[in-house]
Amino acid sequence: MTVDLSTSTAGLVLKNPVLTASGCAGTGPELAPFLDLTEVGAFVTPSISLDPREGDPAPRVAGAVSGLLHSWETPGSGISGFLSTELPWLARRGVVTVASVTGSSLQQYGELARRLSATPGVSGVEVDLAARNIESGGRMFGADPYHAAKATAAVRRDTTAGRPVLAKLIPDVHHLVDVARAVVDAGADGVVLIDGPRGMAIDPVTLRPSLGTGTGRLCGPAVRPLVVRCVWEVRQALPAVPIVAVGGIHSGAHAFEMLLAGADAVQVGSATLSEPSAPARVVRELAEELRRRGIDRVGDVVGRAHDLEGATP
Amino acid sequence: MIATAPIEVTGEVVGLRHSGAYHQLTLLAPGVPERFRPGSFVTLSRRGELSTSWLPSSLPISRSRTNAYGGTVELVFDGTDAGTRWLSRVGAGDRLAVVGPLGRTFTLPREPVVCTLVGSGEGSASLIPLAELLRDRGCTVHMVLTAASEQRLFGALEAKRVARTVLLSTGDLAEVLSGLVARTRTDVLYACGPMATLRTVARVADDEGVWSQTALLTPMPCGTGICHGCVLRACVDGPVFRGNPLR
């Protein structure tokens, strides 16, 4: 039996529902020795800022039990570097590319969307809502429905019609569903759940925070149950909203669990740090999970866990 | 020089032994030794989600051998820092995920010149295969092993085997090195160690008008360039850098 893994998520046409995750796959060439990027559903770029940036002070990554802490801002060459160097590399190879954008003001989100709009080779845009808004005292855009919606609307307004916009939500909020509803009302075609929750570790040798920024996002298997919960809640409240799950997905079984909870697609992030070819393995294993159960279309399992409860249609 | 295409393999621990303040790990890693060039490194991690050592450790290769069993690599590490503590507890037969060899490697001189190799702490280990290669090309090799204390010097025995002279130093590296470079008429300085050591070596190289190449020992969370966690992007732009820019 052949399993049909193809899917259309939030308007993104994907050969399979396994994407890379922003900041966990480099700009493309780094993974090339290990992974054919055309074998995954889509490649998600590191968050692209308007100007080149050096990133947060080191250390930017620290280990944690079953995961890692990653600081907020990664270095990057800005939108010009992306358009002149990184995107052409991906486009030449026919990699389905989702551009992640990050800004410190609404004006920057709009500008990024405009610069990307004229560009072929970008299949979708992901809005980084863990970015800090200098217009609201450095709070993260995703911290409340109002600012999350504003940033999303700023990107949507200047993004080519028909090109999907996905909002990547942060989980450190009282009501994630309210934020999800707000970004969808603001024009998001789907939501990415979730950016890593804020975590922290203290180095026992230096007696100082392990990360240069103090706090960072907690990623990896440690957060997977949190992701399942977030996917579950948003799916239940907003059954029509496409969801991409991310956080600790290291195997086909993990991807399968996310689909059951209501995700239409998944991103494989931290797994690539120790196993650069992990996304391709997850694709193979997911197909096997479905084949074993006699399921021939991946779409058939999306949200199935809800059906058993009779919670959603 | 860029190492030949890296691979992912499952490695098996052959043995772990203590050597002064350090641990020496021998790992069966089929396919890796064939691709090894001095200066390249591997990442090691343990599969399984309960591991507290969840991030991979990046370690330079200090010896590689191909044999009937498929090839082994040797790695020397501290074992007390957060990045390698877990590795000090592995045992023979343990399976580890291995990615490598990674990174830019040392460039070798075309002519049989005089080379001085400076290793700081466990950084000395990865200079041994470089010393062997230089010697085989007819170069004269001198080695300086340096560390903060005598206990933390590494590789004196191995260095004596391959180098014409070996100098152990726990004092002022710049002073020791300047004298040696002049005395031996060194043409090229190679080094491996933390940033402070490399800066000293690069400065001496500039002052003495010799060429330098330095390999940076720094934590590299992924080793492949995808995580942007390390300084200077040592994993893809290094770990071997020309000395001058480091100053």
mmCIF file of all heavy atoms in Angstrom, chain B residues 13 15-26 44 57-60 62 74-81 83-90 96 121-123 125 152 154 217:
data_model
loop_
_atom_site.group_PDB
_atom_site.id
_atom_site.type_symbol
_atom_site.label_atom_id
_atom_site.label_comp_id
_atom_site.label_asym_id
_atom_site.label_seq_id
_atom_site.Cartn_x
_atom_site.Cartn_y
_atom_site.Cartn_z
ATOM 1 N N VAL B 13 31.498 2.808 21.454
ATOM 2 C CA VAL B 13 32.625 3.078 22.333
ATOM 3 C C VAL B 13 33.494 1.832 22.435
ATOM 4 O O VAL B 13 33.005 0.753 22.776
ATOM 5 C CB VAL B 13 32.149 3.501 23.739
ATOM 6 C CG1 VAL B 13 33.341 3.676 24.687
ATOM 7 C CG2 VAL B 13 31.339 4.790 23.654
ATOM 8 N N GLY B 15 36.690 2.150 24.055
ATOM 9 C CA GLY B 15 37.284 2.297 25.374
ATOM 10 C C GLY B 15 37.367 3.748 25.791
ATOM 11 O O GLY B 15 37.316 4.656 24.961
ATOM 12 N N LEU B 16 37.448 3.945 27.096
ATOM 13 C CA LEU B 16 37.604 5.289 27.658
ATOM 14 C C LEU B 16 38.670 5.199 28.728
ATOM 15 O O LEU B 16 38.559 4.398 29.658
ATOM 16 C CB LEU B 16 36.275 5.749 28.279
ATOM 17 C CG LEU B 16 36.278 7.127 28.940
ATOM 18 C CD1 LEU B 16 36.412 8.224 27.901
ATOM 19 C CD2 LEU B 16 34.993 7.333 29.739
ATOM 20 N N ARG B 17 39.747 5.974 28.587
ATOM 21 C CA ARG B 17 40.743 5.924 29.649
ATOM 22 C C ARG B 17 41.133 7.330 30.085
ATOM 23 O O ARG B 17 40.960 8.304 29.357
ATOM 24 C CB ARG B 17 41.960 5.113 29.209
ATOM 25 C CG ARG B 17 42.723 5.654 28.024
ATOM 26 C CD ARG B 17 43.923 4.737 27.742
ATOM 27 N NE ARG B 17 44.839 5.365 26.822
ATOM 28 C CZ ARG B 17 44.667 5.415 25.507
ATOM 29 N NH1 ARG B 17 43.600 4.866 24.957
ATOM 30 N NH2 ARG B 17 45.538 6.023 24.726
ATOM 31 N N HIS B 18 41.632 7.395 31.291
ATOM 32 C CA HIS B 18 41.998 8.681 31.861
ATOM 33 C C HIS B 18 43.447 8.961 31.562
ATOM 34 O O HIS B 18 44.274 8.067 31.530
ATOM 35 C CB HIS B 18 41.758 8.684 33.367
ATOM 36 C CG HIS B 18 40.331 8.445 33.702
ATOM 37 N ND1 HIS B 18 39.457 9.462 33.978
ATOM 38 C CD2 HIS B 18 39.614 7.302 33.739
ATOM 39 C CE1 HIS B 18 38.250 8.957 34.184
ATOM 40 N NE2 HIS B 18 38.328 7.637 34.048
ATOM 41 N N SER B 19 43.722 10.218 31.318
ATOM 42 C CA SER B 19 45.081 10.611 31.022
ATOM 43 C C SER B 19 45.281 11.987 31.642
ATOM 44 O O SER B 19 44.841 12.988 31.103
ATOM 45 C CB SER B 19 45.277 10.650 29.509
ATOM 46 O OG SER B 19 46.573 11.088 29.205
ATOM 47 N N GLY B 20 45.894 12.010 32.835
ATOM 48 C CA GLY B 20 46.049 13.273 33.559
ATOM 49 C C GLY B 20 44.684 13.847 33.885
ATOM 50 O O GLY B 20 43.810 13.158 34.401
ATOM 51 N N ALA B 21 44.487 15.092 33.504
ATOM 52 C CA ALA B 21 43.218 15.754 33.808
ATOM 53 C C ALA B 21 42.161 15.450 32.755
ATOM 54 O O ALA B 21 41.052 15.969 32.825
ATOM 55 C CB ALA B 21 43.450 17.263 33.886
ATOM 56 N N TYR B 22 42.495 14.593 31.790
ATOM 57 C CA TYR B 22 41.608 14.413 30.643
ATOM 58 C C TYR B 22 41.131 12.979 30.458
ATOM 59 O O TYR B 22 41.625 12.054 31.088
ATOM 60 C CB TYR B 22 42.325 14.881 29.369
ATOM 61 C CG TYR B 22 42.779 16.305 29.481
ATOM 62 C CD1 TYR B 22 44.121 16.615 29.719
ATOM 63 C CD2 TYR B 22 41.867 17.344 29.400
ATOM 64 C CE1 TYR B 22 44.533 17.939 29.856
ATOM 65 C CE2 TYR B 22 42.262 18.665 29.534
ATOM 66 C CZ TYR B 22 43.605 18.953 29.763
ATOM 67 O OH TYR B 22 43.991 20.249 29.901
ATOM 68 N N HIS B 23 40.151 12.843 29.586
ATOM 69 C CA HIS B 23 39.646 11.531 29.189
ATOM 70 C C HIS B 23 39.978 11.320 27.718
ATOM 71 O O HIS B 23 39.919 12.255 26.923
ATOM 72 C CB HIS B 23 38.136 11.461 29.359
ATOM 73 C CG HIS B 23 37.679 11.705 30.754
ATOM 74 N ND1 HIS B 23 37.491 10.705 31.668
ATOM 75 C CD2 HIS B 23 37.387 12.853 31.392
ATOM 76 C CE1 HIS B 23 37.097 11.218 32.815
ATOM 77 N NE2 HIS B 23 37.022 12.526 32.677
ATOM 78 N N GLN B 24 40.300 10.087 27.384
ATOM 79 C CA GLN B 24 40.595 9.726 26.001
ATOM 80 C C GLN B 24 39.594 8.674 25.564
ATOM 81 O O GLN B 24 39.556 7.579 26.125
ATOM 82 C CB GLN B 24 42.008 9.145 25.907
ATOM 83 C CG GLN B 24 43.009 10.077 25.267
ATOM 84 C CD GLN B 24 44.408 9.506 25.299
ATOM 85 O OE1 GLN B 24 44.902 9.181 26.385
ATOM 86 N NE2 GLN B 24 45.018 9.388 24.143
ATOM 87 N N LEU B 25 38.787 9.027 24.586
ATOM 88 C CA LEU B 25 37.724 8.132 24.133
ATOM 89 C C LEU B 25 38.088 7.543 22.774
ATOM 90 O O LEU B 25 38.430 8.272 21.856
ATOM 91 C CB LEU B 25 36.411 8.920 24.014
ATOM 92 C CG LEU B 25 35.194 8.195 23.444
ATOM 93 C CD1 LEU B 25 34.656 7.182 24.440
ATOM 94 C CD2 LEU B 25 34.103 9.193 23.079
ATOM 95 N N THR B 26 38.029 6.219 22.680
ATOM 96 C CA THR B 26 38.230 5.571 21.387
ATOM 97 C C THR B 26 36.881 5.071 20.905
ATOM 98 O O THR B 26 36.142 4.413 21.655
ATOM 99 C CB THR B 26 39.217 4.392 21.500
ATOM 100 O OG1 THR B 26 40.408 4.875 22.127
ATOM 101 C CG2 THR B 26 39.568 3.847 20.122
ATOM 102 N N LEU B 44 29.184 14.320 18.919
ATOM 103 C CA LEU B 44 28.731 13.074 19.538
ATOM 104 C C LEU B 44 27.494 13.361 20.366
ATOM 105 O O LEU B 44 27.426 14.358 21.071
ATOM 106 C CB LEU B 44 29.809 12.521 20.476
ATOM 107 C CG LEU B 44 31.196 12.248 19.892
ATOM 108 C CD1 LEU B 44 32.122 11.758 20.994
ATOM 109 C CD2 LEU B 44 31.088 11.222 18.785
ATOM 110 N N SER B 57 28.117 16.973 21.792
ATOM 111 C CA SER B 57 29.417 17.553 22.113
ATOM 112 C C SER B 57 30.249 17.583 20.843
ATOM 113 O O SER B 57 30.286 16.612 20.104
ATOM 114 C CB SER B 57 30.156 16.692 23.144
ATOM 115 O OG SER B 57 29.381 16.525 24.291
ATOM 116 N N SER B 58 30.934 18.693 20.610
ATOM 117 C CA SER B 58 31.829 18.801 19.452
ATOM 118 C C SER B 58 33.258 18.626 19.916
ATOM 119 O O SER B 58 33.715 19.352 20.786
ATOM 120 C CB SER B 58 31.691 20.179 18.799
ATOM 121 O OG SER B 58 30.400 20.347 18.293
ATOM 122 N N LEU B 59 33.956 17.647 19.355
ATOM 123 C CA LEU B 59 35.323 17.372 19.790
ATOM 124 C C LEU B 59 36.240 17.170 18.585
ATOM 125 O O LEU B 59 35.882 16.479 17.635
ATOM 126 C CB LEU B 59 35.360 16.093 20.640
ATOM 127 C CG LEU B 59 34.567 16.104 21.939
ATOM 128 C CD1 LEU B 59 34.529 14.715 22.543
ATOM 129 C CD2 LEU B 59 35.161 17.095 22.920
ATOM 130 N N PRO B 60 37.430 17.778 18.633
ATOM 131 C CA PRO B 60 38.379 17.553 17.544
ATOM 132 C C PRO B 60 38.903 16.124 17.570
ATOM 133 O O PRO B 60 39.047 15.517 18.636
ATOM 134 C CB PRO B 60 39.503 18.553 17.832
ATOM 135 C CG PRO B 60 39.356 18.953 19.244
ATOM 136 C CD PRO B 60 37.939 18.698 19.654
ATOM 137 N N SER B 62 41.677 13.424 17.492
ATOM 138 C CA SER B 62 43.098 13.446 17.815
ATOM 139 C C SER B 62 43.843 12.255 17.219
ATOM 140 O O SER B 62 45.063 12.233 17.202
ATOM 141 C CB SER B 62 43.311 13.483 19.328
ATOM 142 O OG SER B 62 42.724 12.359 19.913
ATOM 143 N N GLU B 74 39.868 8.827 17.844
ATOM 144 C CA GLU B 74 40.146 9.066 19.251
ATOM 145 C C GLU B 74 39.871 10.531 19.556
ATOM 146 O O GLU B 74 40.193 11.403 18.750
ATOM 147 C CB GLU B 74 41.606 8.729 19.527
ATOM 148 C CG GLU B 74 41.889 8.439 20.973
ATOM 149 C CD GLU B 74 43.318 7.932 21.131
ATOM 150 O OE1 GLU B 74 43.521 6.717 21.013
ATOM 151 O OE2 GLU B 74 44.201 8.771 21.332
ATOM 152 N N LEU B 75 39.294 10.775 20.707
ATOM 153 C CA LEU B 75 38.917 12.131 21.083
ATOM 154 C C LEU B 75 39.356 12.375 22.521
ATOM 155 O O LEU B 75 39.224 11.494 23.372
ATOM 156 C CB LEU B 75 37.400 12.290 20.968
ATOM 157 C CG LEU B 75 36.865 11.768 19.630
ATOM 158 C CD1 LEU B 75 35.555 11.062 19.802
ATOM 159 C CD2 LEU B 75 36.777 12.877 18.621
ATOM 160 N N VAL B 76 39.889 13.549 22.770
ATOM 161 C CA VAL B 76 40.345 13.894 24.116
ATOM 162 C C VAL B 76 39.497 15.043 24.636
ATOM 163 O O VAL B 76 39.293 16.036 23.929
ATOM 164 C CB VAL B 76 41.834 14.298 24.096
ATOM 165 C CG1 VAL B 76 42.297 14.703 25.486
ATOM 166 C CG2 VAL B 76 42.677 13.145 23.567
ATOM 167 N N PHE B 77 39.000 14.883 25.855
ATOM 168 C CA PHE B 77 38.144 15.945 26.389
ATOM 169 C C PHE B 77 38.323 16.077 27.895
ATOM 170 O O PHE B 77 38.876 15.213 28.559
ATOM 171 C CB PHE B 77 36.674 15.692 26.032
ATOM 172 C CG PHE B 77 36.155 14.361 26.529
ATOM 173 C CD1 PHE B 77 35.520 14.253 27.754
ATOM 174 C CD2 PHE B 77 36.312 13.219 25.750
ATOM 175 C CE1 PHE B 77 35.046 13.037 28.201
ATOM 176 C CE2 PHE B 77 35.840 11.988 26.200
ATOM 177 C CZ PHE B 77 35.217 11.895 27.424
ATOM 178 N N ASP B 78 37.815 17.178 28.394
ATOM 179 C CA ASP B 78 37.984 17.550 29.794
ATOM 180 C C ASP B 78 37.109 16.694 30.721
ATOM 181 O O ASP B 78 37.585 16.112 31.686
ATOM 182 C CB ASP B 78 37.636 19.037 29.928
ATOM 183 C CG ASP B 78 37.853 19.547 31.323
ATOM 184 O OD1 ASP B 78 37.013 19.221 32.187
ATOM 185 O OD2 ASP B 78 38.856 20.232 31.562
ATOM 186 N N GLY B 79 35.833 16.646 30.414
ATOM 187 C CA GLY B 79 34.936 15.805 31.203
ATOM 188 C C GLY B 79 34.374 16.459 32.452
ATOM 189 O O GLY B 79 33.592 15.849 33.170
ATOM 190 N N THR B 80 34.760 17.704 32.719
ATOM 191 C CA THR B 80 34.189 18.362 33.895
ATOM 192 C C THR B 80 33.208 19.456 33.504
ATOM 193 O O THR B 80 32.400 19.902 34.321
ATOM 194 C CB THR B 80 35.287 18.995 34.786
ATOM 195 O OG1 THR B 80 36.006 19.943 33.991
ATOM 196 C CG2 THR B 80 36.242 17.950 35.320
ATOM 197 N N ASP B 81 33.248 19.893 32.234
ATOM 198 C CA ASP B 81 32.337 20.965 31.818
ATOM 199 C C ASP B 81 30.989 20.396 31.395
ATOM 200 O O ASP B 81 30.846 19.193 31.163
ATOM 201 C CB ASP B 81 32.966 21.764 30.667
ATOM 202 C CG ASP B 81 33.372 20.863 29.513
ATOM 203 O OD1 ASP B 81 34.290 20.038 29.703
ATOM 204 O OD2 ASP B 81 32.761 20.972 28.441
ATOM 205 N N GLY B 83 29.448 20.455 28.700
ATOM 206 C CA GLY B 83 29.386 19.844 27.374
ATOM 207 C C GLY B 83 29.908 18.421 27.313
ATOM 208 O O GLY B 83 29.504 17.648 26.448
ATOM 209 N N THR B 84 30.837 18.055 28.209
ATOM 210 C CA THR B 84 31.449 16.726 28.073
ATOM 211 C C THR B 84 31.312 15.842 29.321
ATOM 212 O O THR B 84 31.803 14.721 29.327
ATOM 213 C CB THR B 84 32.958 16.841 27.743
ATOM 214 O OG1 THR B 84 33.611 17.590 28.771
ATOM 215 C CG2 THR B 84 33.183 17.509 26.397
ATOM 216 N N ARG B 85 30.651 16.357 30.360
ATOM 217 C CA ARG B 85 30.533 15.567 31.590
ATOM 218 C C ARG B 85 29.904 14.200 31.313
ATOM 219 O O ARG B 85 30.357 13.173 31.794
ATOM 220 C CB ARG B 85 29.710 16.335 32.633
ATOM 221 C CG ARG B 85 29.949 15.853 34.053
ATOM 222 C CD ARG B 85 29.188 16.697 35.059
ATOM 223 N NE ARG B 85 29.577 18.094 35.007
ATOM 224 C CZ ARG B 85 28.735 19.118 34.867
ATOM 225 N NH1 ARG B 85 27.440 18.901 34.780
ATOM 226 N NH2 ARG B 85 29.172 20.347 34.816
ATOM 227 N N TRP B 86 28.863 14.212 30.492
ATOM 228 C CA TRP B 86 28.173 12.952 30.187
ATOM 229 C C TRP B 86 29.089 11.957 29.495
ATOM 230 O O TRP B 86 28.987 10.761 29.709
ATOM 231 C CB TRP B 86 26.937 13.228 29.326
ATOM 232 C CG TRP B 86 27.246 13.669 27.909
ATOM 233 C CD1 TRP B 86 27.570 14.919 27.505
ATOM 234 C CD2 TRP B 86 27.275 12.846 26.746
ATOM 235 N NE1 TRP B 86 27.796 14.938 26.154
ATOM 236 C CE2 TRP B 86 27.627 13.688 25.655
ATOM 237 C CE3 TRP B 86 27.045 11.495 26.509
ATOM 238 C CZ2 TRP B 86 27.750 13.204 24.352
ATOM 239 C CZ3 TRP B 86 27.162 11.020 25.210
ATOM 240 C CH2 TRP B 86 27.507 11.866 24.151
ATOM 241 N N LEU B 87 29.999 12.474 28.672
ATOM 242 C CA LEU B 87 30.886 11.596 27.913
ATOM 243 C C LEU B 87 31.882 10.874 28.807
ATOM 244 O O LEU B 87 32.389 9.812 28.461
ATOM 245 C CB LEU B 87 31.659 12.423 26.880
ATOM 246 C CG LEU B 87 31.215 12.390 25.432
ATOM 247 C CD1 LEU B 87 32.178 13.213 24.590
ATOM 248 C CD2 LEU B 87 31.121 10.966 24.893
ATOM 249 N N SER B 88 32.162 11.465 29.962
ATOM 250 C CA SER B 88 33.132 10.840 30.856
ATOM 251 C C SER B 88 32.538 9.615 31.534
ATOM 252 O O SER B 88 33.214 8.902 32.258
ATOM 253 C CB SER B 88 33.610 11.853 31.904
ATOM 254 O OG SER B 88 32.546 12.187 32.771
ATOM 255 N N ARG B 89 31.236 9.380 31.303
ATOM 256 C CA ARG B 89 30.588 8.235 31.947
ATOM 257 C C ARG B 89 30.188 7.128 30.970
ATOM 258 O O ARG B 89 29.503 6.192 31.356
ATOM 259 C CB ARG B 89 29.351 8.726 32.720
ATOM 260 C CG ARG B 89 29.707 9.636 33.891
ATOM 261 C CD ARG B 89 28.533 9.824 34.830
ATOM 262 N NE ARG B 89 27.560 10.766 34.295
ATOM 263 C CZ ARG B 89 27.508 12.058 34.635
ATOM 264 N NH1 ARG B 89 28.349 12.545 35.517
ATOM 265 N NH2 ARG B 89 26.609 12.844 34.114
ATOM 266 N N VAL B 90 30.589 7.269 29.705
ATOM 267 C CA VAL B 90 30.221 6.208 28.766
ATOM 268 C C VAL B 90 31.133 4.993 28.973
ATOM 269 O O VAL B 90 32.217 5.103 29.554
ATOM 270 C CB VAL B 90 30.302 6.662 27.288
ATOM 271 C CG1 VAL B 90 29.342 7.806 27.024
ATOM 272 C CG2 VAL B 90 31.730 7.049 26.905
ATOM 273 N N LEU B 96 26.762 5.707 20.232
ATOM 274 C CA LEU B 96 26.626 7.162 20.170
ATOM 275 C C LEU B 96 26.354 7.577 18.726
ATOM 276 O O LEU B 96 26.838 6.944 17.794
ATOM 277 C CB LEU B 96 27.912 7.851 20.637
ATOM 278 C CG LEU B 96 28.439 7.520 22.032
ATOM 279 C CD1 LEU B 96 29.776 8.212 22.265
ATOM 280 C CD2 LEU B 96 27.440 7.955 23.097
ATOM 281 N N GLY B 121 46.290 22.848 26.647
ATOM 282 C CA GLY B 121 45.488 21.820 27.308
ATOM 283 C C GLY B 121 45.223 20.654 26.372
ATOM 284 O O GLY B 121 46.133 20.165 25.695
ATOM 285 N N GLU B 122 43.950 20.228 26.295
ATOM 286 C CA GLU B 122 43.603 19.089 25.446
ATOM 287 C C GLU B 122 43.716 19.427 23.964
ATOM 288 O O GLU B 122 43.657 18.544 23.107
ATOM 289 C CB GLU B 122 42.209 18.561 25.776
ATOM 290 C CG GLU B 122 41.041 19.457 25.356
ATOM 291 C CD GLU B 122 40.602 20.406 26.456
ATOM 292 O OE1 GLU B 122 41.477 21.037 27.096
ATOM 293 O OE2 GLU B 122 39.383 20.532 26.671
ATOM 294 N N GLY B 123 43.884 20.735 23.648
ATOM 295 C CA GLY B 123 44.080 21.147 22.254
ATOM 296 C C GLY B 123 45.319 20.514 21.639
ATOM 297 O O GLY B 123 45.410 20.373 20.415
ATOM 298 N N ALA B 125 46.117 17.506 21.701
ATOM 299 C CA ALA B 125 45.799 16.184 21.163
ATOM 300 C C ALA B 125 45.561 16.224 19.661
ATOM 301 O O ALA B 125 46.082 15.391 18.916
ATOM 302 C CB ALA B 125 44.573 15.615 21.874
ATOM 303 N N ARG B 152 47.434 19.960 33.722
ATOM 304 C CA ARG B 152 46.584 20.153 32.553
ATOM 305 C C ARG B 152 47.359 20.147 31.235
ATOM 306 O O ARG B 152 46.795 20.382 30.176
ATOM 307 C CB ARG B 152 45.758 21.430 32.692
ATOM 308 C CG ARG B 152 44.885 21.432 33.951
ATOM 309 C CD ARG B 152 43.774 22.437 33.891
ATOM 310 N NE ARG B 152 42.791 22.100 32.881
ATOM 311 C CZ ARG B 152 41.795 21.213 33.054
ATOM 312 N NH1 ARG B 152 41.667 20.580 34.189
ATOM 313 N NH2 ARG B 152 40.945 20.974 32.092
ATOM 314 N N PHE B 154 48.926 18.282 28.164
ATOM 315 C CA PHE B 154 48.532 17.012 27.562
ATOM 316 C C PHE B 154 49.453 16.637 26.413
ATOM 317 O O PHE B 154 49.878 17.477 25.630
ATOM 318 C CB PHE B 154 47.081 17.067 27.050
ATOM 319 C CG PHE B 154 46.620 15.760 26.492
ATOM 320 C CD1 PHE B 154 46.063 14.793 27.323
ATOM 321 C CD2 PHE B 154 46.794 15.461 25.141
ATOM 322 C CE1 PHE B 154 45.673 13.562 26.821
ATOM 323 C CE2 PHE B 154 46.407 14.236 24.628
ATOM 324 C CZ PHE B 154 45.844 13.283 25.471
ATOM 325 N N LEU B 217 39.120 26.037 20.068
ATOM 326 C CA LEU B 217 38.339 25.129 20.922
ATOM 327 C C LEU B 217 37.259 25.956 21.599
ATOM 328 O O LEU B 217 37.551 26.822 22.410
ATOM 329 C CB LEU B 217 39.219 24.495 22.004
ATOM 330 C CG LEU B 217 40.162 23.358 21.629
ATOM 331 C CD1 LEU B 217 40.839 22.835 22.893
ATOM 332 C CD2 LEU B 217 39.420 22.238 20.920
#
